[in-house]
Amino acid sequence: MADQDPTEQIKELSSTLASVESVMDLGAKRTEIEQLREQSADPELWNDQDNAQRVTRRLSYLETEVARVEAIRERIDDLPILFELAETESDPEAKSEAQAELAQLRKDIGDLEVRTLLSGPYDQREALVTINSQAGGIDAADWAQMLQRMYLRWAERRGHPTEIYDTSYAEEAGIKSTTFAVKAPFAYGTLRGEHGTHRLVRISPFDNQNRRQTSFAGVDVVPVVEHSDHIDIEESDLRIDVYRASGPGGQGVNTTDSAVRITHVPTGIVVSCQNERSQLQNRATAMSVLQAKLLERKRQEEQAAIDELRGDGSNSWGTQIRNYVLHPYQNVKDVRTNIETGNTSAVLDGEIDNFIDAEIRWLRSQEDTGG
């Protein structure tokens, strides 16, 4: 690639970007931006806080997406000038900078291409992420909390708002489970490949003999329910318990029984919320989480029926998906895509875009081939 004429490389990148621009339909996005700006300027919008936040989040997302593509297009247009100046002035440093910009543009356009693969029926939704500690005792609880931090840091790096709805703390350290929302368009499509079991191998910080410990945590990712979804829940199918919210170590963080746990008896799905101040608010949030999980269950059942008709019952990507080894060597490897890195500290600090991008491509290839 380095020996190829930069002019030809720039033409190829420009053509690839044009294809991405066509798929993204920037014209439609600009039209929607204008409509959302009109809505956001209406003082009446804020009479409905939830709708107002949806409008402003969608507007911010679209503006960012369009600006991102426009900025890349400007950089491509400027790149021939950078190479021409470097050639004219016989400046090796300037040529090196132009080559670096060419390589960066190739990566940035590749990232845009991945986004165009998010075309599933729920991919554009916000996401609800639930993490549960599995086998491994106290280490698994600690591992579940490490994963929660990893995803929250990933969202923070991308500027995605998050809200933790519920956290069940383990007795000694870590968490039994947590549920949080990633409130950004396409969060579900982006994160759905993270659904599955994550395996950690390390020297246990809780073992006084410094033995190596393997622990597991499960990650569940579902799309947030929207008004257009039809999820009927019978009141008689619900068991609702209220309890006092608590923090790490079991200390009370609320003096009233405001936390709510809802069990959907027919399916056995249990959801809870304790972050709101009132029992009524916690119940409403817990119901929205339950609806999201029932929506995902419905989607899975529909997919299973399609797979059965197709003669394919092997859609099992929700099992073990990634290994994180901290001892005796440093390595994080995805068992589906074979993407790996030795920079484990960066991964655990939220730098997981390489894994996510590869997952999106892998999932799309599985769906295209019926795998």
Side-chain angles (χ1 to χ4, degrees):
M1 183 69 72
D3 295 334
Q4 187 180 350
D5 181 4
T7 302
E8 291 302 313
Q9 294 184 57
I10 293 169
K11 284 182 179 178
E12 289 177 11
L13 287 179
S14 181
S15 176
T16 302
L17 182 59
S19 298
V20 171
E21 289 169 334
S22 176
V23 172
M24 293 182 69
D25 197 349
L26 294 186
K29 282 182 168 54
R30 292 188 181 99
T31 299
E32 187 177 355
I33 285 172
E34 291 306 314
Q35 293 170 345
L36 291 171
R37 282 174 177 167
E38 290 180 11
Q39 291 182 43
S40 62
D42 183 358
E44 299 293 320
L45 175 69
W46 291 96
N47 291 338
D48 183 344
Q49 292 282 333
D50 289 341
N51 183 53
Q53 289 176 1
R54 277 193 294 270
V55 168
T56 54
R57 281 199 300 267
R58 177 68 177 169
L59 175 58
S60 175
Y61 162 76
L62 288 173
E63 288 177 333
T64 300
E65 285 292 285
V66 170
R68 182 183 179 191
V69 177
E70 289 175 342
I72 290 176
R73 173 56 70 186
E74 288 180 8
R75 287 165 59 197
I76 286 182
D77 292 342
D78 290 342
L79 198 51
I81 300 172
L82 294 180
F83 275 103
E84 184 179 336
L85 287 173
E87 193 71 31
T88 301
E89 299 176 7
S90 300
D91 186 342
E93 186 175 339
K95 185 175 182 180
S96 177
E97 290 177 359
Q99 290 285 5
E101 172 68 349
L102 179 61
Q104 186 61 47
L105 275 167
R106 189 176 295 112
K107 179 185 182 300
D108 292 345
I109 292 172
D111 292 344
L112 279 179
E113 278 190 292
V114 170
R115 176 58 60 84
T116 66
L117 299 177
L118 301 180
S119 56
Y122 303 116
D123 281 355
Q124 65 179 335
R125 304 280 185 92
E126 297 175 2
L128 279 174
V129 180
T130 299
I131 301 171
N132 289 286
S133 63
Q134 296 180 337
I138 186 173
D139 279 277
D142 188 52
W143 174 222
Q145 190 164 42
M146 290 166 66
L147 282 175
Q148 179 192 42
R149 180 185 181 278
M150 182 182 79
Y151 290 119
L152 293 177
R153 287 285 291 132
W154 171 83
E156 181 184 344
R157 288 173 180 275
R158 284 175 157 247
H160 296 342
T162 57
E163 183 176 0
I164 299 174
Y165 290 148
D166 180 68
T167 299
S168 175
Y169 291 93
E171 292 180 5
E172 295 184 57
I175 60 176
K176 297 176 183 177
S177 65
T178 184
T179 297
F180 57 90
V182 180
K183 298 186 172 184
F186 286 96
Y188 172 70
T190 303
L191 289 172
R192 71 186 183 105
E194 293 294 294
H195 178 99
T197 298
H198 297 244
R199 172 177 173 263
L200 173 70
V201 179
R202 66 172 175 174
I203 296 295
S204 171
F206 307 103
D207 188 309
N208 56 17
Q209 298 181 43
N210 291 323
R211 288 174 293 191
R212 191 168 66 173
Q213 173 74 27
T214 300
S215 47
F216 301 85
V219 175
D220 183 42
V221 184
V222 300
V224 168
V225 170
E226 294 184 350
H227 293 304
S228 58
D229 297 318
H230 300 290
I231 304 297
D232 296 322
I233 301 176
E234 296 291 338
E235 191 73 22
S236 58
D237 289 340
L238 302 178
R239 184 172 72 245
I240 301 176
D241 302 302
V242 295
Y243 59 99
R244 186 164 298 178
S246 64
Q251 76 265 28
V253 296
N254 201 324
T255 57
T256 61
D257 293 339
S258 61
V260 174
R261 181 185 300 110
I262 300 178
T263 303
H264 186 249
V265 177
T267 62
I269 294 174
V270 180
V271 299
S272 52
C273 183
Q274 60 175 322
N275 74 313
E276 306 289 357
R277 288 188 174 276
S278 76
Q279 185 183 125
L280 192 63
Q281 290 173 311
N282 279 324
R283 173 171 172 153
T285 300
M287 281 297 294
S288 69
V289 174
L290 175 60
Q291 288 177 318
K293 290 187 177 290
L294 289 173
L295 176 67
E296 177 64 8
R297 184 185 179 93
K298 177 182 175 184
R299 186 196 68 78
Q300 291 176 349
E301 290 173 348
E302 291 170 349
Q303 185 62 50
I306 293 171
D307 290 341
E308 188 175 348
L309 290 172
R310 186 190 284 146
D312 176 19
S314 62
N315 187 11
S316 59
W317 58 266
T319 55
Q320 185 171 313
I321 65 165
R322 193 176 302 143
N323 295 317
Y324 305 71
V325 180
L326 306 186
H327 183 86
Y329 53 89
Q330 303 270 315
N331 181 260
V332 180
K333 182 174 182 178
D334 192 284
V335 301
R336 303 157 299 173
T337 64
N338 290 322
I339 294 293
E340 61 183 311
T341 178
N343 193 351
T344 57
S345 59
V347 170
L348 294 175
D349 196 39
E351 293 185 18
I352 56 175
D353 283 321
N354 286 344
F355 290 99
I356 288 174
D357 289 352
E359 287 163 7
I360 292 171
R361 294 182 189 276
W362 183 83
L363 286 171
R364 181 60 180 266
S365 70
Q366 294 290 297
E367 290 161 352
D368 288 345
T369 59

